[in-house]
Amino acid sequence: MSTTQHVLAVHPAAPETAAGHRMARAECIDACLDCAQACTSGADAWLDEPGEADKRSLQRAQQNCAAICIATASILPRLGSPGTDSGRAFLEALLQACRAACTACLEQSAPHLSYPHSRLSHEACARCGQACTALLATMELTRP
């Protein structure tokens, strides 16, 4: 059991939260944190690539993705939400924004997969987008 899974399992709201939903949240949190790290490092790496320093659109996509992933990973451990319809709507919007940031980063990094740092952020974005999609699916299943 990962630390994230364990933290969510001992949360006071855990008994009211379906195990599959908690697992999807844990996987999404971990994927968001991995993606944020890979994108932050990838954006920085372009500054040191010989002859490749001007990758502004990719760097911006990576920086935006990292910021949204960090925000998402910071909010998801709050199991008390989506206890209300407004809480659910907020989480759905957040997950959709995170998925969109990952998609934008995927599109920007695709032409640069020969660079290891670009490939790593590309793979992390793909995993994070999939984790957001999986968590959104569990939210649909648990709709009141």
Side-chain angles (χ1 to χ4, degrees):
M1 178 180 283
S2 75
T3 299
T4 307
Q5 292 168 340
H6 190 93
V7 167
L8 295 180
V10 299
H11 190 286
E16 294 87 37
T17 307
H21 180 75
R22 280 196 323 269
M23 180 66 75
R25 270 196 192 218
E27 290 172 3
C28 193
I29 291 165
D30 291 340
C32 284
L33 292 172
D34 287 348
C35 189
Q37 189 280 324
C39 285
T40 298
S41 181
D44 180 69
W46 285 114
L47 299 174
D48 291 322
E49 279 292 348
E52 297 291 341
D54 191 21
K55 296 284 187 237
R56 286 189 181 104
S57 61
L58 175 53
Q59 286 173 306
R60 282 190 184 106
Q62 289 175 319
Q63 290 170 336
N64 290 340
C65 189
I68 291 172
C69 285
I70 288 169
T72 303
S74 297
I75 291 168
L76 285 178
R78 302 174 191 166
L79 277 183
S81 58
T84 64
D85 286 339
S86 63
R88 181 183 299 271
F90 170 76
L91 281 180
E92 287 174 350
L94 180 64
L95 289 165
Q96 290 166 353
C98 189
R99 186 172 55 187
C102 289
T103 299
C105 198
L106 281 168
E107 291 169 359
Q108 289 291 323
S109 63
H112 309 287
L113 297 180
S114 61
Y115 294 88
H117 54 81
S118 191
R119 182 179 37 77
L120 289 171
S121 68
H122 186 87
E123 292 168 357
C125 286
R127 283 190 305 275
C128 187
Q130 291 166 353
C132 288
T133 298
L135 182 52
L136 282 163
T138 70
M139 290 174 72
E140 278 297 314
L141 294 173
T142 59
R143 244 185 221 292

